[in-house]
């Protein structure tokens, strides 16, 4: 059965008041579009210019709403993804034609959301409709900017920047980006938060074609994994949905790009050209090689372009006559994409744990069938379970008696017994080999040929071999074998063996190795001080802040009642900061000063060691010059040799010894400097952490003391809806001024029309609060530096 299918290609026309009706016409079936050019009369009478083009597609979306676009383009792809089929949706077109609006939409308005948020909403809605399956959803957001890979979700606090650059890796399971963070989302709101976080990190620029033009290709991937809760089958299905928002193709002369925007446009056009080459190669059945590795975009989409997935292309075009050439180019790309075929297949994998359980059940059933078969065949009772220790000991006894000749044959009952008999044969053989080796060691002595003390001890003991030669004589194997005479006593032999043992030197080595460490640990005050201050600073400060806030915030606290009235005019932040360091922030300020003093002390020591190293280096150079001069002087006077060895004078010898000592000192000082630099780097990081914590605590204290209105203080207490420090001061101040919160007003106006929009707007507000808070903290840090 042929499972190949063509790629679906749709065209979406951007609405405009100046639509070129005489140049762009649609078919009656709403699946074809015709382009008509006016002939250029400047070319003369003989003019072979082509003026008419007709394109047959899967649908033309003209003046279509976001709901209609999603139902036509993406709804089937997303629904089949939960059945195990991969899906890819690509938005392609000219700059400013509406690709990002089609894919992402306007995040400010729920009704204008695009394919991506609607796909997330559909996935979680279908998960609720399938209670018989345990479905997990993960997402990732990749950006390709100037042929470099970036993780748009790396700004999250639990991700952090990657140490190694991201690379595209291929394996039998497919293509994936090494270093790209993948995030588990258990509910719709978490997925929207990740989406909005990535959207704020995208790179945009402004030019004549578009005020907010996307300057990078972005791939948002939804990973779905479904396990059955009712069936015991070890199979489970996986799938992924790639939602690709390409950067717009543009003509550099028309867009007026220059500088950085010009460089970005060059990379964009280059990658789109390589994408078109890959599409042309995929559409040609005679081509064996597909150039996927020409750029990062085609390499990352290798298993999504013509692979085992449902693929849809949305081509965005302008409807104005001024953009007709770019429109024609985009429609040509769509027609080439329709020639590409894919082979959608369900992605099935096997759960190892569940497979083991199923195999155990199958083994138990097979044992029952064997027992029934033995009873019907009138066989004696046969056990198919693993043998216990008593049965193994009995087989071992039978094997020994069989080898001794007291047992003629061993009765065979089942296959397990046969295997155990051979195993016991191996055990008995190894035991006999050990007994023979022990008996030989009682009669013979092994001596190393290089151990002269052992050889002399053997000679003194009078141990000789059968031929009369001395024991311990080295042979080809670096050992000598001797036979003790029959008159030798066991006591003497054991005494001779004791003399052969070499005293261990490990204890002496350990003792010598530990002496430098103990000498380095003599600096007890600085090390103990470092350990006290450089502990887990975050936990210490957080615990201190929680304790102080807990003592300060409850309403029944006596400190709350005796709190001085708030001044009418808030003091300047510089004055308030000095007061905060003396009172509420005294602990953090003390730790900050101690860490800074330790850092200064380490820096001073590093400077001193650096000066000593430079002095030693200068002395080494001077000694080398003096030694070279002494050697040249000796060459001029004539060198003196005695018995073939060169003889140097005493002055040159002293210079050689001095140079050797200086180099030794230089290596030791340089090693100490490297260790001290590592400590300085660690201390500097602790100082930065304390400084950041001090500023953050001051910002929270200042807002609580002077900025936040009195009637909002109740919401900031433990158990309230607002956590201190998590909301910027501008946002908190507006809470007391407005009658209703902006978010509540928005919900009241939008919820009647879109009851499913709660998660969307919750995620939007969380993202805005986070970025406003980060902007406030960055502003405080800059003000502090000034």
């Amino acid at each position: 059965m042929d499972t190949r299918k063509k790629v679906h290609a749709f065209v979406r026309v951007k609405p405009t008041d100046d639509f070129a009706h005489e140049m762009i016409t649609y078919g009656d079936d709403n699946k074809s579009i015709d382009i008509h050019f006016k002939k250029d009369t400047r070319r003369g009478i003989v003019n072979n210019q082509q003026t008419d083009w007709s394109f047959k597609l899967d649908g033309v979306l003209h003046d279509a709403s976001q709901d209609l676009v999603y139902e036509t383009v993406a709804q089937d792809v997303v629904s089949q993804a939960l059945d195990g089929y991969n899906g890819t949706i690509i938005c392609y077109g000219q700059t400013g034609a509406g690709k990002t609006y089609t894919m992402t939409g306007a995040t400010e308005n729920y009704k204008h959301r695009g394919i991506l948020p609607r796909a997330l909403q559909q996935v979680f809605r279908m998960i609720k409709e399938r209670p018989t399956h345990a479905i997990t959803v993960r997402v990732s957001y990749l950006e390709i900017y100037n042929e470099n890979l970036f993780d748009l979700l790396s700004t999250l606090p639990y991700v952090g920047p990657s140490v190694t650059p991201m690379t595209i890796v291929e394996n039998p399971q497919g293509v994936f980006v090494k270093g790209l963070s993948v995030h588990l989302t258990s509910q719709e709101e978490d997925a929207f938060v990740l989406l909005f976080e990535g959207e704020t990190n995208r790179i945009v620029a402004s030019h004549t074609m578009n005020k907010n033009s996307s300057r990078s290709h972005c791939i948002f991937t939804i990973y779905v994994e479904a396990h059955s809760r009712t069936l015991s089958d070890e199979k489970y299905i996986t799938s992924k949905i790639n939602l690709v928002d390409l950067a717009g193709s543009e003509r550099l002369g028309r867009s007026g790009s220059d500088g950085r925007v010009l460089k970005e446009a060059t990379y964009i056009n280059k990658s789109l050209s390589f994408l078109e080459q890959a599409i042309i190669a995929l559409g040609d059945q005679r081509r064996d090689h597909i150039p996927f590795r020409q750029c990062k975009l085609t390499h990352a989409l290798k298993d999504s372009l013509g692979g085992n997935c449902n693929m849809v292309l949305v081509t965005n075009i302008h409807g104005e006559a001024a953009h007709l050439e770019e429109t024609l180019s985009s429609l040509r790309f769509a027609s080439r994409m329709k020639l590409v075929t894919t082979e959608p297949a369900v992605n099935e994998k096997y759960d190892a744990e569940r497979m083991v359980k199923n195999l155990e059940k199958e083994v138990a059933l097979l044992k029952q069938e064997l027992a029934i078969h033995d009873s019907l065949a009138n066989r004696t009772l046969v056990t198919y379970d693993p043998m216990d220790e008593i049965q193994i000991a009995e087989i071992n006894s039978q094997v020994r008696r069989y080898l001794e000749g007291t047992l003629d044959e061993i009765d065979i009952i089942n296959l397990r017994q046969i295997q155990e008999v051979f195993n016991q044969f191996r055990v008995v053989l190894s035991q006999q080999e050990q007994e023979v080796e022990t008996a030989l060691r009682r009669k013979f002595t092994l001596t190393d040929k290089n151990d002269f003390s052992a050889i002399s001890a053997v000679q003194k003991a009078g141990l000789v071999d059968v031929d009369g030669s001395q024991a311990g004589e080295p042979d080809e194997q670096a050992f000598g074998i001797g036979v003790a005479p029959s008159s030798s006593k066991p006591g003497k032999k054991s005494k001779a063996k004791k003399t052969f043992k070499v005293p261990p030197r490990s204890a002496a080595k350990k003792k010598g190795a530990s002496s430098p460490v103990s000498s380095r640990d003599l600096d007890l005050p600085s090390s103990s001080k470092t350990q006290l201050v450089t502990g887990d600073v975050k936990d210490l400060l957080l615990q201190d802040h929680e304790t102080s806030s807990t003592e300060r915030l409850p309403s029944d606290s006596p400190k709350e009642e005796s709190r001085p009235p708030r001044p009418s005019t808030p003091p300047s932040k510089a004055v308030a900061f000095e007061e905060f360091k003396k009172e509420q922030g005294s602990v953090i300020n003390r730790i900050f000063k101690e860490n800074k003093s330790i850092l200064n002390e380490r820096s001073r020591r590093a400077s001193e060691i650096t000066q000593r190293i430079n002095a030693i280096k200068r002395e080494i150079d001077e000694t080398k010059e003096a030694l070279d001069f002494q050697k040249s002087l000796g060459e001029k006077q004539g060198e003196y040799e005695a018995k073939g060895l060169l003889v140097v004078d005493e002055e040159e010898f002293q210079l050689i010894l001095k140079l050797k000592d200086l180099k030794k000192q230089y290596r030791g000082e340089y090693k100490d400097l490297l260790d001290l630099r590592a400590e300085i780097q660690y201390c500097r990081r602790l100082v930065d952490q304390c400084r950041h914590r001090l500023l953050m605590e001051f910002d929270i204290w200042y807002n609580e003391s002077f900025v936040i209105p009195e009637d909002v203080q109740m919401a900031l207490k433990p158990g309230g809806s607002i956590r201190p420090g998590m909301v910027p001061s501008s946002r908190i101040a507006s809470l007391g001024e407005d009658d209703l919160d902006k978010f509540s007003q928005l919900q009241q106006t939008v919820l009647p029309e879109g009851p499913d929009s709660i998660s969307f707007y919750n995620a939007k507000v969380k993202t805005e609060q986070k970025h406003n808070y980060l902007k406030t903290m960055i502003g405080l840090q800059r003000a502090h530096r000034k």
Side-chain angles (χ1 to χ4, degrees):
M1 181 178 179
D2 189 12
T3 60
R4 301 177 67 88
K5 60 185 294 187
K6 296 288 185 180
V7 173
H8 293 288
F10 298 89
V11 174
R12 188 180 190 185
V13 185
K14 184 177 181 180
T16 178
D17 296 334
D18 191 15
F19 186 80
H21 294 281
E22 68 280 0
M23 296 182 179
I24 302 175
T25 57
Y26 308 126
D28 296 334
D29 56 354
N30 207 26
K31 291 186 178 180
S32 61
I33 183 170
D34 298 329
I35 305 295
H36 174 71
F37 267 99
K38 294 181 180 180
K39 274 199 173 184
D40 190 359
T41 57
R42 293 174 298 179
R43 296 191 178 185
I45 300 174
V46 180
N47 189 352
N48 296 324
Q49 177 188 4
Q50 184 178 353
T51 58
D52 297 304
W53 287 268
S54 181
F55 300 95
K56 184 70 174 179
L57 303 169
D58 293 287
V60 178
L61 303 171
H62 181 62
D63 290 337
S65 63
Q66 294 283 65
D67 293 334
L68 180 59
V69 171
Y70 182 76
E71 292 174 1
T72 307
V73 172
Q75 191 168 7
D76 293 339
V77 176
V78 176
S79 62
Q80 292 185 22
L82 269 74
D83 297 328
Y85 293 93
N86 292 338
T88 301
I89 302 174
I90 301 177
C91 286
Y92 177 88
Q94 183 188 1
T95 298
K99 297 180 301 302
T100 303
Y101 180 76
T102 301
M103 180 57 68
T104 307
T107 56
E108 293 79 10
N109 196 329
Y110 178 73
K111 294 176 63 177
H112 295 164
R113 67 195 190 282
I115 293 176
L116 212 161
R118 292 174 187 268
L120 289 172
Q121 194 172 34
Q122 182 182 352
V123 167
F124 284 98
R125 186 185 296 117
M126 294 182 66
I127 289 175
K128 294 179 180 178
E129 297 173 356
R130 300 189 181 189
T132 58
H133 288 76
I135 303 176
T136 58
V137 179
R138 295 176 174 85
V139 298
S140 65
Y141 212 166
L142 173 67
E143 181 182 44
I144 304 175
Y145 174 71
N146 289 351
E147 282 300 297
N148 294 317
L149 303 176
F150 297 96
D151 185 4
L152 290 177
L153 301 179
S154 62
T155 55
L156 295 173
Y158 54 87
V159 177
S162 177
V163 179
T164 57
M166 294 192 297
T167 56
I168 301 174
V169 181
E170 298 183 32
N171 59 11
Q173 285 74 30
V175 179
F176 69 96
V177 180
K178 185 178 181 181
L180 180 65
S181 61
V182 181
H183 304 264
L184 178 65
T185 57
S186 58
Q187 55 185 350
E188 184 180 338
E189 183 177 331
D190 296 338
F192 283 140
V193 169
L194 296 174
L195 171 62
F196 296 144
E197 179 72 21
E199 286 296 318
T200 55
N201 295 328
R202 287 193 63 175
I203 298 176
V204 296
S206 176
H207 54 72
T208 58
M209 302 291 292
N210 191 1
K211 293 183 179 179
N212 296 313
S213 175
S214 301
R215 313 307 296 167
S216 61
H217 310 295
C218 291
I219 305 174
F220 189 92
T221 307
I222 306 173
Y223 305 90
V224 181
E225 182 176 315
H227 295 261
S228 177
R229 286 185 174 137
T230 57
L231 301 177
S232 61
D233 191 6
E234 61 271 7
K235 292 182 182 179
Y236 66 97
I237 59 174
T238 61
S239 63
K240 65 178 180 179
I241 309 171
N242 287 324
L243 303 169
V244 186
D245 181 15
L246 299 176
S249 59
E250 59 186 26
R251 296 197 174 186
L252 301 181
R254 180 173 294 180
S255 62
S257 302
D258 58 353
R260 180 178 65 87
V261 180
L262 177 62
K263 179 182 177 182
E264 295 169 350
T266 304
Y267 277 107
I268 291 170
N269 292 340
K270 180 180 177 181
S271 61
L272 292 177
S273 299
F274 287 142
L275 174 63
E276 189 167 3
Q277 292 178 16
I279 295 302
I280 293 173
L282 287 169
D284 190 357
Q285 301 297 330
R286 297 170 296 179
R287 293 281 295 270
D288 295 331
H289 172 69
I290 311 299
F292 286 118
R293 292 177 176 265
Q294 287 183 325
C295 66
K296 299 290 180 62
L297 175 63
T298 54
H299 196 188
L301 296 175
K302 179 179 179 180
D303 57 351
S304 301
L305 299 173
N308 64 335
C309 64
N310 296 312
M311 188 172 177
V312 178
L313 174 71
V314 181
T315 304
N316 297 85
I317 63 174
H318 283 282
E320 300 175 357
H323 304 285
L324 203 58
E325 293 182 0
E326 294 291 340
T327 297
L328 185 60
S329 176
S330 300
L331 291 174
R332 285 173 178 167
F333 180 83
S335 62
R336 294 189 185 104
M337 182 66 81
K338 277 193 64 64
L339 299 176
V340 179
T341 58
T342 61
E343 295 183 8
V346 178
N347 299 296
E348 292 183 345
K349 294 184 179 180
Y350 292 89
D351 189 353
E353 183 178 356
R354 186 170 291 185
M355 187 184 298
V356 169
K357 292 181 179 179
N358 291 340
L359 290 175
E360 290 176 351
K361 292 180 180 179
E362 187 176 356
V363 168
L365 292 174
L366 290 175
K367 285 182 180 181
Q368 294 177 3
E369 291 183 5
L370 283 174
I372 295 173
H373 177 72
D374 293 337
S375 62
L376 294 176
N378 294 325
R379 293 182 59 187
T380 57
L381 182 61
V382 180
T383 60
Y384 298 98
D385 296 329
M387 293 186 175
D388 54 11
E389 296 180 357
I390 299 176
Q391 293 173 336
I392 294 174
E394 177 63 25
I395 293 176
N396 183 279
S397 176
Q398 293 179 2
V399 169
R400 289 184 179 276
R401 284 184 288 149
Y402 179 79
L403 293 175
E404 293 172 358
T406 57
L407 184 64
D408 295 334
E409 60 182 12
I410 300 175
D411 295 332
I412 300 301
I413 300 176
N414 54 18
L415 181 61
R416 289 183 184 272
Q417 188 188 17
I418 296 175
Q419 294 176 348
E420 190 61 37
V421 166
F422 280 101
N423 187 29
Q424 292 304 317
F425 265 112
R426 185 188 298 113
V427 172
V428 172
L429 178 62
S430 63
Q431 290 177 355
Q432 290 181 354
E433 288 178 351
Q434 292 178 0
E435 292 175 359
V436 172
E437 183 179 357
T438 304
L440 290 175
R441 287 183 178 276
R442 290 176 182 174
K443 295 182 181 180
F444 299 94
T445 304
L446 303 180
T447 307
D448 188 358
K449 69 176 184 179
N450 297 322
D451 196 349
F452 298 103
S453 61
I455 295 174
S456 61
V458 171
Q459 292 175 352
K460 292 179 182 179
L463 301 178
V464 295
D465 58 6
V466 180
D467 298 331
S469 59
Q470 292 181 352
E473 185 176 352
D475 57 1
E476 296 179 356
Q477 301 297 330
F479 288 96
I481 301 177
V483 181
S486 58
S487 61
S488 300
K489 295 182 180 180
K492 292 183 179 180
K493 183 171 63 177
S494 61
K495 186 182 291 184
K497 281 185 179 181
K498 289 181 180 179
T499 58
F500 299 159
K501 293 182 180 179
V502 181
R505 289 179 243 175
S506 60
K509 288 183 179 180
K510 290 181 180 178
K511 187 176 181 180
S514 62
S515 57
V517 178
S518 60
S519 64
R520 284 190 69 184
D521 291 337
L522 291 177
D523 191 8
L524 292 179
S526 60
S527 62
S528 62
K529 189 175 183 179
T530 305
Q531 292 176 3
L532 175 62
V533 181
T534 62
D536 197 347
V537 178
K538 292 185 178 180
D539 294 341
L540 178 61
L541 297 179
L542 182 61
Q543 182 179 2
D544 178 74
H545 171 66
E546 291 177 353
T547 305
S548 60
S549 61
T550 304
E551 294 176 355
R552 186 173 63 253
L553 288 177
S555 58
D556 55 349
S557 175
K559 294 183 180 180
E560 185 72 22
E561 297 175 356
S562 60
R563 184 176 180 178
R566 176 180 298 183
S568 58
T569 303
S572 64
K573 286 197 172 183
V575 176
F577 187 62
E578 295 298 329
E579 179 185 353
F580 173 77
K581 289 191 296 183
K582 294 178 182 178
E583 297 180 0
Q584 286 81 3
S586 59
V587 177
I588 309 173
N589 190 36
R590 176 180 56 81
I591 296 176
F592 171 72
K593 288 183 177 179
E594 291 178 359
N595 283 331
K596 199 168 183 180
S597 63
I598 294 174
L599 176 62
N600 295 333
E601 191 268 337
R602 296 291 191 273
S603 301
R604 181 184 56 78
R605 286 174 52 188
S607 177
E608 294 175 356
I609 293 177
T610 304
Q611 293 176 2
R612 289 201 299 268
I613 289 176
N614 293 334
I616 294 173
K617 183 65 171 61
R618 289 192 296 269
E619 194 172 355
I620 288 175
D621 295 338
E622 293 174 357
T623 306
K624 283 184 178 180
E625 292 178 359
L627 185 60
D628 293 338
F629 175 77
Q630 195 69 24
K631 286 184 179 180
S632 62
L633 187 63
E635 291 177 357
K636 293 178 181 179
Q637 294 177 355
E639 297 177 346
Y640 175 71
E641 295 185 0
K643 297 181 181 181
L645 299 176
L646 182 64
V647 179
V648 297
D649 58 359
E650 184 177 357
E651 186 176 356
E652 184 177 353
F653 182 70
Q654 294 296 331
L655 288 174
I656 293 173
L657 293 179
K658 181 180 179 182
L659 182 62
K660 184 178 179 181
D661 293 338
L662 288 174
K663 288 183 177 180
K664 185 177 179 181
Q665 293 179 15
Y666 183 87
R667 287 192 293 268
E669 294 286 351
Y670 187 73
K671 183 179 180 301
D672 293 340
L673 180 62
L674 291 179
D675 296 339
L676 200 56
R677 283 178 178 175
E679 294 181 11
I680 290 173
Q681 184 178 2
Y682 177 68
C683 292
R684 185 175 288 112
R685 184 165 62 88
L686 289 174
V687 169
D688 293 339
Q689 288 179 357
C690 290
R691 182 185 292 109
H692 174 73
R693 187 71 183 184
L694 183 64
L695 292 174
M696 184 175 65
E697 292 288 341
F698 168 70
D699 180 58
I700 296 172
W701 172 80
Y702 188 84
N703 290 334
E704 291 178 354
S705 301
F706 305 107
V707 179
I708 303 173
E710 295 287 347
D711 54 352
V712 185
Q713 291 288 344
M714 294 298 296
L716 296 175
K717 294 184 177 181
S721 59
I722 302 175
R723 293 182 58 192
M726 297 303 293
V727 184
S729 58
S730 60
R731 178 67 174 165
I732 296 176
S734 65
L735 291 176
E737 298 172 0
D738 298 339
D739 295 331
L740 292 174
D741 183 51
K742 295 180 180 180
F743 176 55
S744 301
Q745 294 178 356
L746 192 62
Q747 279 190 334
Q748 290 180 0
T749 56
V750 175
L751 278 180
E753 299 179 1
D756 298 329
S757 63
I758 298 178
S759 300
F760 183 86
Y761 284 112
N762 279 340
K764 184 67 179 175
V765 169
K766 285 183 179 179
T767 307
E768 290 179 354
Q769 288 179 351
K770 175 190 172 184
H771 287 279
N772 288 335
Y773 175 73
L774 292 177
K775 288 180 182 178
T776 304
M777 295 305 301
I778 292 173
L780 282 174
Q781 291 179 359
R782 291 177 179 175
H784 178 70
R785 290 172 183 173
K786 291 180 181 180

